[in-house]
C-alpha cells in the first residue's frame, strides 16, 4: 500500500534532515508517495504568508505530514512563522497528542550517570497555554497591557489524559500527571480532578501527580522511576527539551503529533531550524529518522519502522552520529542506509 506524504522541509536544517529521513524510510521498504510543499520563512517573505490560504485544505488530502523545522528569526519573527504554519496545523487536524520518546540510543552518552530510563512524554498539543487567546491594548504606551489566557477544556484535558492512560497500558503501566495545581488553582486543579476520575477506569495503572518543578528535578535525578508522563502544552514543551537533553541532545529527540480522529498526523524532530549551523552540513538526522519511524509505525508499516530503529541503533552503537556536530549529515545517513541493507 502506498502512503501519500506531505513533506514540509521548512527552514534551515529542516531541509537536509527531512531528505535524510525520507531516504531512510523508503529504503526500509515503505511505499511513500511524497509531495514536497516548500512552505517556509522564504515563502512568507515572497507572499506574506507561511503557507497558502488553502494550505490546510491541501494537507487534508494526505495520509501523513512530515515536517523538518520551521523558523528563521532573522527573516521572520518566530511568533509569526510558528503561528502561520506549525501551530495552525496541529490545531486544524486536532493533533492533540504530541508523543515524544526519551531514551538513550546505544553508544550515545547522555549527561546523566544512569542510562536506565525510557520515558514517553505525552504533551497536550492544541490548547492550554498555547491556545493563542489574548491580546494587547494601549500598545507602545506606558499603560500597555498584554493578556494571554490559558484555555483548558474538559474535552481537551480528558482526551489527552485518556491517551496517556492507553499508552501506559501498553507499557509499564505507570502514569505521571504533571500540573502546577498548588499555584494555579483553576485549570490545574481541574486537570488533577480529571486525572483522578480517569484513574478509576484504569485500576492497573499506577498514577502519580507531580508539580512541573518537581518533575524537572525528577527527570534529572530519578528518570528511571518514570514511564508515561502527561503534561499540558507549555509544560510538555519544556519537559521534552529536558527529555531531549538527558537523551544526549536535541539531535535525538523525535516526535509525533497524532490526530486520533483520523486527520493527517504530523511527524517532526523536536529540534528547530538551527540557523547557526544550517549551512555546515552537520545537522544530526537521527531525530528526523526516528520521527520517520514513528510515522511508519502510525501508518501501519510496523516492520519497516522496526527496521529503521534497528538500523539507527546499529549505527549509533558504532559511534556514528553520537556526538553533536562531529559527523556530517550525509555520512550519518549513509551509515543508517548501510545498516538497513546489512
Ligand atoms: C516544539 C517547539 C514548538 C512548540 C515551537 C517552535 C512553537 O518548541 O515543537 O517543541 O513549542 O510547540
Ligand atoms: Mn519545544
Amino acid at each position: 500500500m502506498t502512503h501519500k506524504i506531505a513533506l514540509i522541509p521548512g527552514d534551515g536544517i529542516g531541509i537536509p534532515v527531512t531528505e535524510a529521513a525520507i531516504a531512510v524510510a523508503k529504503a526500509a521498504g515503505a511505499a511513500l508517495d511524497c509531495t514536497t510543499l516548500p512552505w517556509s520563512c522564504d515563502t512568507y517573505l515572497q507572499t506574506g504568508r507561511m503557507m497558502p490560504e488553502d494550505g490546510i485544505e491541501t494537507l487534508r488530502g494526505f495520509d501523513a505530514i512530515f515536517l523538518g523545522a520551521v523558523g528563521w528569526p532573522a527573516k521572520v519573527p518566530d511568533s509569526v512563522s510558528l503561528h502561520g504554519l506549525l501551530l495552525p496545523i496541529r490545531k486544524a487536524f486536532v493533533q492533540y497528542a504530541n508523543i515524544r520518546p526519551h531514551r538513550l540510543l546505544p553508544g550515545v552518552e547522555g549527561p546523566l550517570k544512569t542510562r536506565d530510563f525510557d520515558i514517553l512524554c505525552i504533551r497536550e498539543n492544541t490548547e492550554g497555554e498555547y491556545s493563542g487567546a489574548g491580546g494587547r491594548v494601549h500598545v507602545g504606551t506606558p499603560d500597555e497591557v498584554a493578556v494571554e489566557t490559558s484555555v483548558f477544556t474538559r474535552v481537551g484535558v480528558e482526551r489527552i489524559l485518556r491517551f496517556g492512560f492507553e499508552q501506559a497500558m501498553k507499557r509499564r503501566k505507570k502514569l505521571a500527571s504533571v500540573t502546577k495545581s498548588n499555584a494555579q488553582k483553576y485549570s490545574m486543579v481541574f486537570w488533577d480532578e480529571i486525572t483522578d476520575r480517569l484513574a478509576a477506569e484504569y485500576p492497573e495503572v499506577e498514577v502519580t501527580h507531580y508539580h512541573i518543578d518537581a518533575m524537572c528535578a525528577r527527570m534529572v535525578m530519578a528518570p528511571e522511576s518514570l514511564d508515561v508522563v502527561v503534561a499540558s502544552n507549555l509544560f510538555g514543551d519544556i519537559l521534552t527539551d529536558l527529555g531531549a537533553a538527558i537523551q544526549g541532545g536535541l539531535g535525538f529527540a523525535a516526535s509525533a503529533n497524532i490526530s486520533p480522529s483520523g486527520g493527517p498526523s504530523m511527524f517532526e524532530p523536536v529540534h528547530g531550524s538551527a540557523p547557526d549551523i544550517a549551512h555546515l552540513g552537520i545537522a544530526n538526522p537521527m531525530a528526523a529518522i526516528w520521527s520517520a519511524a514513528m510515522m511508519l509505525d502510525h501508518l501501519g508499516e510496523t516492520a519497516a519502522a522496526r527496521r529503521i530503529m534497528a538500523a539507527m541503533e546499529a549505527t549509533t552503537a558504532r559511534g556514528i552520529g553520537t556526538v553533536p556536530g562531529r559527523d556530517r549529515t550525509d555520512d550519518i545517513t549513509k551509515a543508517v542506509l548501510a545498516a538497513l541493507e546489512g
Side-chain angles (χ1 to χ4, degrees):
M1 178 174 170
T2 301
H3 308 282
K4 285 181 66 185
I5 309 297
L7 291 185
I8 310 178
D11 296 294
I13 66 167
I15 297 164
V17 301
T18 298
E19 197 184 313
I22 295 303
V24 170
K26 286 183 173 170
L32 303 181
D33 171 12
C34 297
T35 303
T36 299
L37 304 167
W39 301 342
S40 63
C41 288
D42 288 330
T43 310
Y44 184 90
L45 293 181
Q46 288 154 16
T47 67
R49 306 180 56 97
M50 290 295 294
M51 60 177 162
E53 212 158 338
D54 62 355
I56 294 293
E57 283 321 303
T58 301
L59 292 173
R60 208 178 287 284
F62 289 90
D63 299 318
I65 304 162
F66 192 88
L67 183 135
V70 187
W72 196 283
K75 294 182 195 168
V76 182
D78 281 344
S79 57
V80 172
S81 57
L82 293 157
H83 281 277
L85 187 60
L86 177 65
L87 300 174
I89 295 173
R90 288 178 179 167
K91 285 189 187 138
F93 299 117
V94 203
Q95 294 168 346
Y96 67 78
N98 191 328
I99 309 183
R100 298 181 164 182
H102 301 296
R103 61 184 171 81
L104 279 165
L105 295 176
V108 177
E109 295 281 339
L112 303 184
K113 287 194 197 115
T114 181
R115 302 189 59 83
D116 175 25
F117 59 89
D118 179 358
I119 300 172
L120 192 68
C121 274
I122 311 286
R123 164 186 174 187
E124 202 294 318
N125 214 28
T126 55
E127 56 169 45
E129 306 88 342
Y130 294 0
S131 68
R136 287 168 67 168
V137 289
H138 310 306
V139 175
T141 74
D143 298 327
E144 184 161 1
V145 180
V147 178
E148 187 133 9
T149 306
S150 298
V151 174
F152 287 86
T153 65
R154 184 174 290 280
V155 167
V157 175
E158 200 171 295
R159 69 190 177 192
I160 194 64
L161 281 161
R162 192 176 288 286
F163 192 93
F165 275 102
E166 292 293 336
Q167 295 295 316
M169 286 299 289
K170 292 185 210 150
R171 292 172 47 101
R172 301 192 304 280
K173 298 193 173 57
K174 286 172 70 170
L175 181 135
S177 170
V178 181
T179 65
K180 187 62 188 171
S181 51
N182 53 352
Q184 296 193 295
K185 61 183 181 177
Y186 302 112
S187 55
M188 294 286 153
V189 171
F190 179 59
W191 178 294
D192 280 351
E193 284 172 11
I194 295 175
T195 304
D196 288 338
R197 204 163 40 69
L198 284 181
E201 290 181 37
Y202 294 90
E204 303 97 317
V205 177
E206 180 196 325
V207 179
T208 313
H209 294 269
Y210 294 96
H211 295 310
I212 177 66
D213 42 1
M215 177 54 82
C216 289
R218 176 164 292 265
M219 278 180 64
V220 173
M221 305 295 288
E224 70 285 350
S225 66
L226 298 166
D227 178 15
V228 172
V229 174
V230 188
S232 66
N233 212 332
L234 169 67
F235 291 172
D237 186 20
I238 296 168
L239 285 180
T240 53
D241 261 39
L242 181 53
I246 66 171
Q247 73 188 132
L250 280 158
F252 303 101
S255 81
N257 303 269
I258 300 293
S259 168
S261 50
S265 296
M266 175 165 64
F267 301 81
E268 49 162 341
V270 175
H271 65 68
S273 62
D276 53 331
I277 61 154
H279 300 296
L280 300 180
I282 53 164
N284 192 338
M286 289 298 187
I289 295 171
W290 192 337
S291 304
M294 293 174 83
M295 176 171 80
L296 296 190
D297 199 41
H298 178 77
L299 292 169
E301 300 282 352
T302 44
R306 265 202 304 275
R307 277 197 291 277
I308 293 177
M309 290 311 295
M312 271 177 61
E313 293 184 354
T315 303
T316 56
R318 290 172 54 213
I320 299 170
T322 52
V323 176
R326 190 191 56 199
D327 301 322
R328 304 198 55 82
T329 312
D330 286 347
D331 294 334
I332 300 170
T333 310
K334 276 184 207 137
V336 177
L337 289 168
L340 268 177
E341 278 162 22

